[in-house]
PDB file of all heavy atoms in Angstrom:
ATOM      1  N   GLU P  21       4.361  -8.835  22.125  1.00  0.00           N
ATOM      2  CA  GLU P  21       4.697  -8.433  23.483  1.00  0.00           C
ATOM      3  C   GLU P  21       4.850  -9.671  24.375  1.00  0.00           C
ATOM      4  O   GLU P  21       5.527  -9.598  25.453  1.00  0.00           O
ATOM      5  CB  GLU P  21       3.726  -7.424  24.010  1.00  0.00           C
ATOM      6  CG  GLU P  21       3.916  -6.024  23.409  1.00  0.00           C
ATOM      7  CD  GLU P  21       2.609  -5.185  23.525  1.00  0.00           C
ATOM      8  OE1 GLU P  21       1.762  -5.522  24.336  1.00  0.00           O
ATOM      9  OE2 GLU P  21       2.583  -4.185  22.805  1.00  0.00           O
ATOM     10  N   ASN P  22       4.187 -10.762  24.064  1.00  0.00           N
ATOM     11  CA  ASN P  22       4.127 -11.908  24.989  1.00  0.00           C
ATOM     12  C   ASN P  22       5.036 -13.134  24.589  1.00  0.00           C
ATOM     13  O   ASN P  22       5.101 -14.100  25.303  1.00  0.00           O
ATOM     14  CB  ASN P  22       2.714 -12.346  25.250  1.00  0.00           C
ATOM     15  CG  ASN P  22       1.987 -11.397  25.984  1.00  0.00           C
ATOM     16  OD1 ASN P  22       2.027 -11.302  27.203  1.00  0.00           O
ATOM     17  ND2 ASN P  22       1.230 -10.531  25.341  1.00  0.00           N
ATOM     18  N   SER P  23       5.691 -12.946  23.370  1.00  0.00           N
ATOM     19  CA  SER P  23       6.371 -14.170  22.912  1.00  0.00           C
ATOM     20  C   SER P  23       7.854 -14.233  23.370  1.00  0.00           C
ATOM     21  O   SER P  23       8.612 -13.264  23.358  1.00  0.00           O
ATOM     22  CB  SER P  23       6.360 -14.119  21.432  1.00  0.00           C
ATOM     23  OG  SER P  23       7.019 -15.314  20.880  1.00  0.00           O
ATOM     24  N   ARG P  24       8.291 -15.502  23.724  1.00  0.00           N
ATOM     25  CA  ARG P  24       9.737 -15.736  23.935  1.00  0.00           C
ATOM     26  C   ARG P  24      10.419 -16.276  22.708  1.00  0.00           C
ATOM     27  O   ARG P  24      11.559 -16.611  22.741  1.00  0.00           O
ATOM     28  CB  ARG P  24       9.873 -16.760  25.036  1.00  0.00           C
ATOM     29  CG  ARG P  24       9.398 -16.246  26.429  1.00  0.00           C
ATOM     30  CD  ARG P  24       9.660 -17.236  27.472  1.00  0.00           C
ATOM     31  NE  ARG P  24       8.979 -16.851  28.765  1.00  0.00           N
ATOM     32  CZ  ARG P  24       8.904 -17.635  29.730  1.00  0.00           C
ATOM     33  NH1 ARG P  24       9.337 -18.914  29.730  1.00  0.00           N
ATOM     34  NH2 ARG P  24       8.173 -17.257  30.836  1.00  0.00           N
ATOM     35  N   ILE P  25       9.568 -16.413  21.656  1.00  0.00           N
ATOM     36  CA  ILE P  25      10.072 -16.991  20.386  1.00  0.00           C
ATOM     37  C   ILE P  25      10.102 -15.838  19.368  1.00  0.00           C
ATOM     38  O   ILE P  25       9.290 -14.973  19.427  1.00  0.00           O
ATOM     39  CB  ILE P  25       9.067 -18.092  19.924  1.00  0.00           C
ATOM     40  CG1 ILE P  25       8.828 -19.106  21.028  1.00  0.00           C
ATOM     41  CG2 ILE P  25       9.490 -18.748  18.629  1.00  0.00           C
ATOM     42  CD1 ILE P  25       7.496 -19.908  20.836  1.00  0.00           C
ATOM     43  N   PRO P  26      11.091 -15.834  18.429  1.00  0.00           N
ATOM     44  CA  PRO P  26      11.047 -14.845  17.400  1.00  0.00           C
ATOM     45  C   PRO P  26       9.673 -14.763  16.674  1.00  0.00           C
ATOM     46  O   PRO P  26       9.132 -15.741  16.347  1.00  0.00           O
ATOM     47  CB  PRO P  26      12.194 -15.255  16.443  1.00  0.00           C
ATOM     48  CG  PRO P  26      13.091 -16.114  17.275  1.00  0.00           C
ATOM     49  CD  PRO P  26      12.156 -16.782  18.274  1.00  0.00           C
ATOM     50  N   VAL P  27       9.274 -13.523  16.363  1.00  0.00           N
ATOM     51  CA  VAL P  27       7.979 -13.232  15.765  1.00  0.00           C
ATOM     52  C   VAL P  27       8.225 -12.575  14.406  1.00  0.00           C
ATOM     53  O   VAL P  27       8.937 -11.594  14.374  1.00  0.00           O
ATOM     54  CB  VAL P  27       7.067 -12.400  16.636  1.00  0.00           C
ATOM     55  CG1 VAL P  27       5.735 -12.110  15.982  1.00  0.00           C
ATOM     56  CG2 VAL P  27       6.840 -13.095  18.004  1.00  0.00           C
ATOM     57  N   ILE P  28       7.519 -13.049  13.340  1.00  0.00           N
ATOM     58  CA  ILE P  28       7.518 -12.248  12.097  1.00  0.00           C
ATOM     59  C   ILE P  28       6.316 -11.355  12.198  1.00  0.00           C
ATOM     60  O   ILE P  28       5.163 -11.800  12.351  1.00  0.00           O
ATOM     61  CB  ILE P  28       7.333 -13.204  10.931  1.00  0.00           C
ATOM     62  CG1 ILE P  28       8.635 -14.016  10.671  1.00  0.00           C
ATOM     63  CG2 ILE P  28       6.967 -12.366   9.664  1.00  0.00           C
ATOM     64  CD1 ILE P  28       9.708 -13.369   9.905  1.00  0.00           C
ATOM     65  N   GLN P  29       6.583  -9.999  12.136  1.00  0.00           N
ATOM     66  CA  GLN P  29       5.513  -9.026  12.290  1.00  0.00           C
ATOM     67  C   GLN P  29       4.959  -8.426  11.027  1.00  0.00           C
ATOM     68  O   GLN P  29       5.709  -8.333  10.088  1.00  0.00           O
ATOM     69  CB  GLN P  29       6.004  -7.881  13.220  1.00  0.00           C
ATOM     70  CG  GLN P  29       6.376  -8.321  14.543  1.00  0.00           C
ATOM     71  CD  GLN P  29       7.268  -7.304  15.257  1.00  0.00           C
ATOM     72  OE1 GLN P  29       7.670  -6.301  14.656  1.00  0.00           O
ATOM     73  NE2 GLN P  29       7.557  -7.541  16.509  1.00  0.00           N
ATOM     74  N   HIS P  30       3.640  -8.186  11.039  1.00  0.00           N
ATOM     75  CA  HIS P  30       3.051  -7.472   9.879  1.00  0.00           C
ATOM     76  C   HIS P  30       1.789  -6.721  10.571  1.00  0.00           C
ATOM     77  O   HIS P  30       0.765  -7.208  10.543  1.00  0.00           O
ATOM     78  CB  HIS P  30       2.593  -8.462   8.840  1.00  0.00           C
ATOM     79  CG  HIS P  30       1.638  -7.926   7.816  1.00  0.00           C
ATOM     80  ND1 HIS P  30       0.747  -8.615   7.148  1.00  0.00           N
ATOM     81  CD2 HIS P  30       1.373  -6.644   7.450  1.00  0.00           C
ATOM     82  CE1 HIS P  30       0.014  -7.917   6.368  1.00  0.00           C
ATOM     83  NE2 HIS P  30       0.368  -6.628   6.480  1.00  0.00           N
ATOM     84  N   PHE P  31       2.133  -5.580  11.075  1.00  0.00           N
ATOM     85  CA  PHE P  31       1.122  -4.836  11.913  1.00  0.00           C
ATOM     86  C   PHE P  31      -0.011  -4.361  10.958  1.00  0.00           C
ATOM     87  O   PHE P  31      -1.149  -4.537  11.228  1.00  0.00           O
ATOM     88  CB  PHE P  31       1.762  -3.686  12.714  1.00  0.00           C
ATOM     89  CG  PHE P  31       2.500  -4.161  13.851  1.00  0.00           C
ATOM     90  CD1 PHE P  31       3.848  -3.937  13.959  1.00  0.00           C
ATOM     91  CD2 PHE P  31       1.846  -4.788  14.877  1.00  0.00           C
ATOM     92  CE1 PHE P  31       4.522  -4.307  15.079  1.00  0.00           C
ATOM     93  CE2 PHE P  31       2.536  -5.240  16.030  1.00  0.00           C
ATOM     94  CZ  PHE P  31       3.906  -4.992  16.132  1.00  0.00           C
ATOM     95  N   LYS P  32       0.363  -3.556   9.932  1.00  0.00           N
ATOM     96  CA  LYS P  32      -0.725  -3.079   9.037  1.00  0.00           C
ATOM     97  C   LYS P  32      -0.052  -2.689   7.716  1.00  0.00           C
ATOM     98  O   LYS P  32       1.171  -2.560   7.577  1.00  0.00           O
ATOM     99  CB  LYS P  32      -1.417  -1.947   9.656  1.00  0.00           C
ATOM    100  CG  LYS P  32      -0.565  -0.774  10.112  1.00  0.00           C
ATOM    101  CD  LYS P  32      -1.452   0.237  10.888  1.00  0.00           C
ATOM    102  CE  LYS P  32      -0.694   1.438  11.317  1.00  0.00           C
ATOM    103  NZ  LYS P  32      -1.452   2.446  11.944  1.00  0.00           N
ATOM    104  N   GLY P  33      -0.992  -2.473   6.772  1.00  0.00           N
ATOM    105  CA  GLY P  33      -0.455  -2.051   5.450  1.00  0.00           C
ATOM    106  C   GLY P  33      -1.015  -0.648   5.135  1.00  0.00           C
ATOM    107  O   GLY P  33      -2.065  -0.431   4.622  1.00  0.00           O
ATOM    108  N   VAL P  34      -0.124   0.351   5.468  1.00  0.00           N
ATOM    109  CA  VAL P  34      -0.441   1.688   5.075  1.00  0.00           C
ATOM    110  C   VAL P  34       0.324   1.982   3.770  1.00  0.00           C
ATOM    111  O   VAL P  34       1.514   2.337   3.794  1.00  0.00           O
ATOM    112  CB  VAL P  34      -0.039   2.716   6.103  1.00  0.00           C
ATOM    113  CG1 VAL P  34      -0.461   4.180   5.655  1.00  0.00           C
ATOM    114  CG2 VAL P  34      -0.798   2.413   7.439  1.00  0.00           C
ATOM    115  N   CYS P  35      -0.326   1.674   2.689  1.00  0.00           N
ATOM    116  CA  CYS P  35       0.421   1.715   1.362  1.00  0.00           C
ATOM    117  C   CYS P  35       0.129   3.030   0.620  1.00  0.00           C
ATOM    118  O   CYS P  35      -0.915   3.584   0.689  1.00  0.00           O
ATOM    119  CB  CYS P  35      -0.113   0.618   0.442  1.00  0.00           C
ATOM    120  SG  CYS P  35       0.058  -1.117   1.144  1.00  0.00           S
ATOM    121  N   HIS P  36       1.290   3.635   0.107  1.00  0.00           N
ATOM    122  CA  HIS P  36       1.250   4.952  -0.532  1.00  0.00           C
ATOM    123  C   HIS P  36       1.351   4.803  -1.959  1.00  0.00           C
ATOM    124  O   HIS P  36       2.088   4.017  -2.526  1.00  0.00           O
ATOM    125  CB  HIS P  36       2.444   5.824  -0.005  1.00  0.00           C
ATOM    126  CG  HIS P  36       2.330   6.104   1.518  1.00  0.00           C
ATOM    127  ND1 HIS P  36       2.795   5.223   2.432  1.00  0.00           N
ATOM    128  CD2 HIS P  36       1.835   7.178   2.141  1.00  0.00           C
ATOM    129  CE1 HIS P  36       2.571   5.750   3.711  1.00  0.00           C
ATOM    130  NE2 HIS P  36       2.021   6.941   3.480  1.00  0.00           N
ATOM    131  N   LEU P  37       0.714   5.761  -2.726  1.00  0.00           N
ATOM    132  CA  LEU P  37       0.848   5.892  -4.133  1.00  0.00           C
ATOM    133  C   LEU P  37       1.296   7.398  -4.365  1.00  0.00           C
ATOM    134  O   LEU P  37       0.628   8.382  -3.885  1.00  0.00           O
ATOM    135  CB  LEU P  37      -0.551   5.689  -4.842  1.00  0.00           C
ATOM    136  CG  LEU P  37      -0.548   6.090  -6.306  1.00  0.00           C
ATOM    137  CD1 LEU P  37       0.289   5.202  -7.129  1.00  0.00           C
ATOM    138  CD2 LEU P  37      -1.996   5.945  -6.778  1.00  0.00           C
ATOM    139  N   PHE P  38       2.425   7.505  -5.060  1.00  0.00           N
ATOM    140  CA  PHE P  38       2.936   8.940  -5.313  1.00  0.00           C
ATOM    141  C   PHE P  38       2.786   9.197  -6.783  1.00  0.00           C
ATOM    142  O   PHE P  38       3.358   8.512  -7.637  1.00  0.00           O
ATOM    143  CB  PHE P  38       4.378   9.083  -4.884  1.00  0.00           C
ATOM    144  CG  PHE P  38       5.033  10.347  -5.327  1.00  0.00           C
ATOM    145  CD1 PHE P  38       4.392  11.575  -5.237  1.00  0.00           C
ATOM    146  CD2 PHE P  38       6.351  10.378  -5.800  1.00  0.00           C
ATOM    147  CE1 PHE P  38       4.957  12.762  -5.683  1.00  0.00           C
ATOM    148  CE2 PHE P  38       6.926  11.540  -6.286  1.00  0.00           C
ATOM    149  CZ  PHE P  38       6.242  12.773  -6.210  1.00  0.00           C
ATOM    150  N   ILE P  39       1.924  10.208  -7.107  1.00  0.00           N
ATOM    151  CA  ILE P  39       1.816  10.639  -8.520  1.00  0.00           C
ATOM    152  C   ILE P  39       2.785  11.724  -8.718  1.00  0.00           C
ATOM    153  O   ILE P  39       2.611  12.843  -8.325  1.00  0.00           O
ATOM    154  CB  ILE P  39       0.338  11.168  -8.697  1.00  0.00           C
ATOM    155  CG1 ILE P  39      -0.710  10.197  -8.215  1.00  0.00           C
ATOM    156  CG2 ILE P  39       0.099  11.451 -10.230  1.00  0.00           C
ATOM    157  CD1 ILE P  39      -0.690   8.839  -8.942  1.00  0.00           C
ATOM    158  N   ASP P  40       3.867  11.359  -9.469  1.00  0.00           N
ATOM    159  CA  ASP P  40       4.911  12.292  -9.701  1.00  0.00           C
ATOM    160  C   ASP P  40       4.544  13.292 -10.794  1.00  0.00           C
ATOM    161  O   ASP P  40       3.678  13.080 -11.519  1.00  0.00           O
ATOM    162  CB  ASP P  40       6.188  11.495 -10.182  1.00  0.00           C
ATOM    163  CG  ASP P  40       7.427  12.404 -10.366  1.00  0.00           C
ATOM    164  OD1 ASP P  40       7.561  13.408  -9.614  1.00  0.00           O
ATOM    165  OD2 ASP P  40       8.171  12.057 -11.305  1.00  0.00           O
ATOM    166  N   LYS P  41       5.250  14.426 -10.904  1.00  0.00           N
ATOM    167  CA  LYS P  41       4.880  15.425 -11.901  1.00  0.00           C
ATOM    168  C   LYS P  41       5.086  14.928 -13.329  1.00  0.00           C
ATOM    169  O   LYS P  41       4.525  15.449 -14.193  1.00  0.00           O
ATOM    170  CB  LYS P  41       5.648  16.768 -11.692  1.00  0.00           C
ATOM    171  CG  LYS P  41       7.171  16.705 -11.948  1.00  0.00           C
ATOM    172  CD  LYS P  41       7.705  18.173 -11.765  1.00  0.00           C
ATOM    173  CE  LYS P  41       9.279  18.165 -11.937  1.00  0.00           C
ATOM    174  NZ  LYS P  41       9.823  19.493 -11.701  1.00  0.00           N
ATOM    175  N   TYR P  42       5.850  13.837 -13.476  1.00  0.00           N
ATOM    176  CA  TYR P  42       6.119  13.239 -14.789  1.00  0.00           C
ATOM    177  C   TYR P  42       5.253  12.018 -15.055  1.00  0.00           C
ATOM    178  O   TYR P  42       5.645  11.140 -15.797  1.00  0.00           O
ATOM    179  CB  TYR P  42       7.631  12.874 -14.900  1.00  0.00           C
ATOM    180  CG  TYR P  42       8.545  14.099 -14.816  1.00  0.00           C
ATOM    181  CD1 TYR P  42       9.449  14.130 -13.737  1.00  0.00           C
ATOM    182  CD2 TYR P  42       8.463  15.140 -15.722  1.00  0.00           C
ATOM    183  CE1 TYR P  42      10.318  15.267 -13.649  1.00  0.00           C
ATOM    184  CE2 TYR P  42       9.352  16.195 -15.608  1.00  0.00           C
ATOM    185  CZ  TYR P  42      10.271  16.261 -14.480  1.00  0.00           C
ATOM    186  OH  TYR P  42      11.045  17.319 -14.349  1.00  0.00           O
ATOM    187  N   ALA P  43       4.133  11.964 -14.282  1.00  0.00           N
ATOM    188  CA  ALA P  43       3.261  10.777 -14.427  1.00  0.00           C
ATOM    189  C   ALA P  43       2.475  10.781 -15.750  1.00  0.00           C
ATOM    190  O   ALA P  43       2.128  11.876 -16.181  1.00  0.00           O
ATOM    191  CB  ALA P  43       2.332  10.698 -13.250  1.00  0.00           C
ATOM    192  N   ASP P  44       2.203   9.591 -16.212  1.00  0.00           N
ATOM    193  CA  ASP P  44       1.189   9.383 -17.310  1.00  0.00           C
ATOM    194  C   ASP P  44      -0.183   9.389 -16.616  1.00  0.00           C
ATOM    195  O   ASP P  44      -0.402   8.496 -15.740  1.00  0.00           O
ATOM    196  CB  ASP P  44       1.539   8.062 -17.967  1.00  0.00           C
ATOM    197  CG  ASP P  44       0.439   7.778 -18.979  1.00  0.00           C
ATOM    198  OD1 ASP P  44      -0.751   7.855 -18.752  1.00  0.00           O
ATOM    199  OD2 ASP P  44       0.861   7.250 -20.110  1.00  0.00           O
ATOM    200  N   LEU P  45      -1.027  10.359 -16.898  1.00  0.00           N
ATOM    201  CA  LEU P  45      -2.295  10.532 -16.107  1.00  0.00           C
ATOM    202  C   LEU P  45      -3.215   9.270 -16.245  1.00  0.00           C
ATOM    203  O   LEU P  45      -3.871   8.910 -15.295  1.00  0.00           O
ATOM    204  CB  LEU P  45      -2.988  11.796 -16.474  1.00  0.00           C
ATOM    205  CG  LEU P  45      -2.339  13.068 -16.208  1.00  0.00           C
ATOM    206  CD1 LEU P  45      -3.013  14.215 -16.601  1.00  0.00           C
ATOM    207  CD2 LEU P  45      -2.056  13.122 -14.650  1.00  0.00           C
ATOM    208  N   THR P  46      -3.222   8.622 -17.450  1.00  0.00           N
ATOM    209  CA  THR P  46      -4.071   7.495 -17.645  1.00  0.00           C
ATOM    210  C   THR P  46      -3.698   6.351 -16.714  1.00  0.00           C
ATOM    211  O   THR P  46      -4.476   5.762 -15.990  1.00  0.00           O
ATOM    212  CB  THR P  46      -4.059   7.020 -19.067  1.00  0.00           C
ATOM    213  OG1 THR P  46      -4.355   8.148 -19.930  1.00  0.00           O
ATOM    214  CG2 THR P  46      -5.130   5.977 -19.316  1.00  0.00           C
ATOM    215  N   LYS P  47      -2.344   6.081 -16.748  1.00  0.00           N
ATOM    216  CA  LYS P  47      -1.814   5.045 -15.779  1.00  0.00           C
ATOM    217  C   LYS P  47      -2.072   5.419 -14.383  1.00  0.00           C
ATOM    218  O   LYS P  47      -2.511   4.588 -13.525  1.00  0.00           O
ATOM    219  CB  LYS P  47      -0.274   4.918 -15.992  1.00  0.00           C
ATOM    220  CG  LYS P  47       0.217   4.318 -17.237  1.00  0.00           C
ATOM    221  CD  LYS P  47       1.682   4.317 -17.420  1.00  0.00           C
ATOM    222  CE  LYS P  47       2.143   3.936 -18.745  1.00  0.00           C
ATOM    223  NZ  LYS P  47       3.603   4.206 -18.886  1.00  0.00           N
ATOM    224  N   ALA P  48      -1.949   6.715 -14.005  1.00  0.00           N
ATOM    225  CA  ALA P  48      -2.053   7.143 -12.639  1.00  0.00           C
ATOM    226  C   ALA P  48      -3.474   6.905 -12.109  1.00  0.00           C
ATOM    227  O   ALA P  48      -3.713   6.408 -11.012  1.00  0.00           O
ATOM    228  CB  ALA P  48      -1.676   8.666 -12.536  1.00  0.00           C
ATOM    229  N   VAL P  49      -4.490   7.246 -12.943  1.00  0.00           N
ATOM    230  CA  VAL P  49      -5.845   7.086 -12.578  1.00  0.00           C
ATOM    231  C   VAL P  49      -6.225   5.591 -12.362  1.00  0.00           C
ATOM    232  O   VAL P  49      -6.833   5.195 -11.408  1.00  0.00           O
ATOM    233  CB  VAL P  49      -6.772   7.761 -13.472  1.00  0.00           C
ATOM    234  CG1 VAL P  49      -8.288   7.355 -13.195  1.00  0.00           C
ATOM    235  CG2 VAL P  49      -6.682   9.286 -13.442  1.00  0.00           C
ATOM    236  N   ASN P  50      -5.823   4.827 -13.329  1.00  0.00           N
ATOM    237  CA  ASN P  50      -6.050   3.383 -13.344  1.00  0.00           C
ATOM    238  C   ASN P  50      -5.423   2.726 -12.118  1.00  0.00           C
ATOM    239  O   ASN P  50      -6.052   1.892 -11.395  1.00  0.00           O
ATOM    240  CB  ASN P  50      -5.574   2.691 -14.531  1.00  0.00           C
ATOM    241  CG  ASN P  50      -6.419   3.035 -15.761  1.00  0.00           C
ATOM    242  OD1 ASN P  50      -7.516   3.530 -15.619  1.00  0.00           O
ATOM    243  ND2 ASN P  50      -5.862   2.831 -16.984  1.00  0.00           N
ATOM    244  N   ILE P  51      -4.132   3.130 -11.799  1.00  0.00           N
ATOM    245  CA  ILE P  51      -3.478   2.443 -10.691  1.00  0.00           C
ATOM    246  C   ILE P  51      -4.059   2.904  -9.330  1.00  0.00           C
ATOM    247  O   ILE P  51      -4.220   2.011  -8.455  1.00  0.00           O
ATOM    248  CB  ILE P  51      -1.929   2.797 -10.762  1.00  0.00           C
ATOM    249  CG1 ILE P  51      -1.280   2.062 -11.893  1.00  0.00           C
ATOM    250  CG2 ILE P  51      -1.213   2.584  -9.381  1.00  0.00           C
ATOM    251  CD1 ILE P  51       0.158   2.498 -12.274  1.00  0.00           C
ATOM    252  N   LEU P  52      -4.493   4.171  -9.229  1.00  0.00           N
ATOM    253  CA  LEU P  52      -5.175   4.661  -8.049  1.00  0.00           C
ATOM    254  C   LEU P  52      -6.524   3.893  -7.831  1.00  0.00           C
ATOM    255  O   LEU P  52      -6.800   3.430  -6.761  1.00  0.00           O
ATOM    256  CB  LEU P  52      -5.469   6.176  -8.228  1.00  0.00           C
ATOM    257  CG  LEU P  52      -6.414   6.774  -7.132  1.00  0.00           C
ATOM    258  CD1 LEU P  52      -5.841   6.650  -5.765  1.00  0.00           C
ATOM    259  CD2 LEU P  52      -6.707   8.251  -7.408  1.00  0.00           C
ATOM    260  N   VAL P  53      -7.331   3.847  -8.853  1.00  0.00           N
ATOM    261  CA  VAL P  53      -8.629   3.205  -8.739  1.00  0.00           C
ATOM    262  C   VAL P  53      -8.517   1.731  -8.410  1.00  0.00           C
ATOM    263  O   VAL P  53      -9.216   1.182  -7.450  1.00  0.00           O
ATOM    264  CB  VAL P  53      -9.526   3.376  -9.974  1.00  0.00           C
ATOM    265  CG1 VAL P  53     -10.792   2.575  -9.939  1.00  0.00           C
ATOM    266  CG2 VAL P  53      -9.868   4.892 -10.134  1.00  0.00           C
ATOM    267  N   ASN P  54      -7.637   1.027  -9.094  1.00  0.00           N
ATOM    268  CA  ASN P  54      -7.467  -0.453  -8.795  1.00  0.00           C
ATOM    269  C   ASN P  54      -6.884  -0.620  -7.454  1.00  0.00           C
ATOM    270  O   ASN P  54      -7.434  -1.479  -6.637  1.00  0.00           O
ATOM    271  CB  ASN P  54      -6.493  -1.080  -9.835  1.00  0.00           C
ATOM    272  CG  ASN P  54      -6.313  -2.537  -9.666  1.00  0.00           C
ATOM    273  OD1 ASN P  54      -5.289  -2.937  -9.188  1.00  0.00           O
ATOM    274  ND2 ASN P  54      -7.324  -3.280 -10.043  1.00  0.00           N
ATOM    275  N   GLY P  55      -5.890   0.227  -7.052  1.00  0.00           N
ATOM    276  CA  GLY P  55      -5.230   0.032  -5.670  1.00  0.00           C
ATOM    277  C   GLY P  55      -6.196   0.321  -4.535  1.00  0.00           C
ATOM    278  O   GLY P  55      -6.023  -0.356  -3.527  1.00  0.00           O
ATOM    279  N   LYS P  56      -7.161   1.243  -4.784  1.00  0.00           N
ATOM    280  CA  LYS P  56      -8.055   1.568  -3.583  1.00  0.00           C
ATOM    281  C   LYS P  56      -9.366   0.718  -3.690  1.00  0.00           C
ATOM    282  O   LYS P  56      -9.742   0.244  -2.643  1.00  0.00           O
ATOM    283  CB  LYS P  56      -8.422   3.007  -3.642  1.00  0.00           C
ATOM    284  CG  LYS P  56      -9.423   3.521  -2.632  1.00  0.00           C
ATOM    285  CD  LYS P  56      -8.859   3.514  -1.130  1.00  0.00           C
ATOM    286  CE  LYS P  56      -9.118   2.282  -0.316  1.00  0.00           C
ATOM    287  NZ  LYS P  56      -8.489   2.352   0.991  1.00  0.00           N
ATOM    288  N   THR P  57      -9.943   0.575  -4.827  1.00  0.00           N
ATOM    289  CA  THR P  57     -11.355   0.075  -4.896  1.00  0.00           C
ATOM    290  C   THR P  57     -11.489  -1.414  -5.181  1.00  0.00           C
ATOM    291  O   THR P  57     -12.516  -1.954  -4.853  1.00  0.00           O
ATOM    292  CB  THR P  57     -12.199   0.897  -5.887  1.00  0.00           C
ATOM    293  OG1 THR P  57     -11.733   0.530  -7.178  1.00  0.00           O
ATOM    294  CG2 THR P  57     -12.073   2.304  -5.636  1.00  0.00           C
ATOM    295  N   GLN P  58     -10.509  -2.069  -5.741  1.00  0.00           N
ATOM    296  CA  GLN P  58     -10.797  -3.475  -6.160  1.00  0.00           C
ATOM    297  C   GLN P  58     -11.003  -4.413  -4.969  1.00  0.00           C
ATOM    298  O   GLN P  58     -11.923  -5.200  -5.022  1.00  0.00           O
ATOM    299  CB  GLN P  58      -9.527  -3.990  -6.931  1.00  0.00           C
ATOM    300  CG  GLN P  58      -9.897  -5.335  -7.611  1.00  0.00           C
ATOM    301  CD  GLN P  58      -8.713  -6.247  -7.625  1.00  0.00           C
ATOM    302  OE1 GLN P  58      -7.662  -6.031  -6.963  1.00  0.00           O
ATOM    303  NE2 GLN P  58      -8.832  -7.364  -8.330  1.00  0.00           N
ATOM    304  N   ARG P  59     -10.184  -4.233  -3.866  1.00  0.00           N
ATOM    305  CA  ARG P  59     -10.510  -4.987  -2.654  1.00  0.00           C
ATOM    306  C   ARG P  59      -9.963  -4.212  -1.462  1.00  0.00           C
ATOM    307  O   ARG P  59      -8.878  -4.522  -1.008  1.00  0.00           O
ATOM    308  CB  ARG P  59      -9.854  -6.427  -2.795  1.00  0.00           C
ATOM    309  CG  ARG P  59     -10.335  -7.304  -1.738  1.00  0.00           C
ATOM    310  CD  ARG P  59     -10.183  -8.801  -2.022  1.00  0.00           C
ATOM    311  NE  ARG P  59     -10.234  -9.540  -0.750  1.00  0.00           N
ATOM    312  CZ  ARG P  59      -9.285 -10.282  -0.315  1.00  0.00           C
ATOM    313  NH1 ARG P  59      -8.139 -10.431  -0.955  1.00  0.00           N
ATOM    314  NH2 ARG P  59      -9.458 -10.900   0.889  1.00  0.00           N
ATOM    315  N   PRO P  60     -10.756  -3.284  -0.921  1.00  0.00           N
ATOM    316  CA  PRO P  60     -10.180  -2.357   0.069  1.00  0.00           C
ATOM    317  C   PRO P  60      -9.854  -3.082   1.401  1.00  0.00           C
ATOM    318  O   PRO P  60      -9.059  -2.560   2.132  1.00  0.00           O
ATOM    319  CB  PRO P  60     -11.364  -1.400   0.210  1.00  0.00           C
ATOM    320  CG  PRO P  60     -12.514  -1.957  -0.343  1.00  0.00           C
ATOM    321  CD  PRO P  60     -12.095  -2.909  -1.402  1.00  0.00           C
ATOM    322  N   SER P  61     -10.393  -4.279   1.611  1.00  0.00           N
ATOM    323  CA  SER P  61     -10.116  -4.958   2.913  1.00  0.00           C
ATOM    324  C   SER P  61      -8.762  -5.613   2.873  1.00  0.00           C
ATOM    325  O   SER P  61      -8.316  -6.118   3.986  1.00  0.00           O
ATOM    326  CB  SER P  61     -11.178  -6.010   3.165  1.00  0.00           C
ATOM    327  OG  SER P  61     -11.118  -6.969   2.140  1.00  0.00           O
TER     328      SER P  61
END
């Protein structure tokens, strides 16, 4: 809001995981657990 110079923005990371009906359940669980719990910050 205060810059007269171009700014590269990265407001936040709201990252989504979609488990499709054709998902491999083992992959799905591993990807969910790693994506959420490994480093939540």
Side-chain angles (χ1 to χ4, degrees):
E21 283 160 18
N22 290 279
S23 183
R24 293 187 192 165
I25 305 159
V27 178
I28 291 275
Q29 296 162 354
H30 164 205
F31 285 116
K32 54 185 181 178
V34 181
C35 302
H36 295 84
L37 170 65
F38 171 42
I39 310 300
D40 183 35
K41 68 175 177 183
Y42 301 114
D44 174 314
L45 291 180
T46 308
K47 290 178 190 171
V49 171
N50 290 341
I51 287 168
L52 169 62
V53 171
N54 183 256
K56 179 68 265 181
T57 67
Q58 192 216 7
R59 190 159 163 239
S61 63

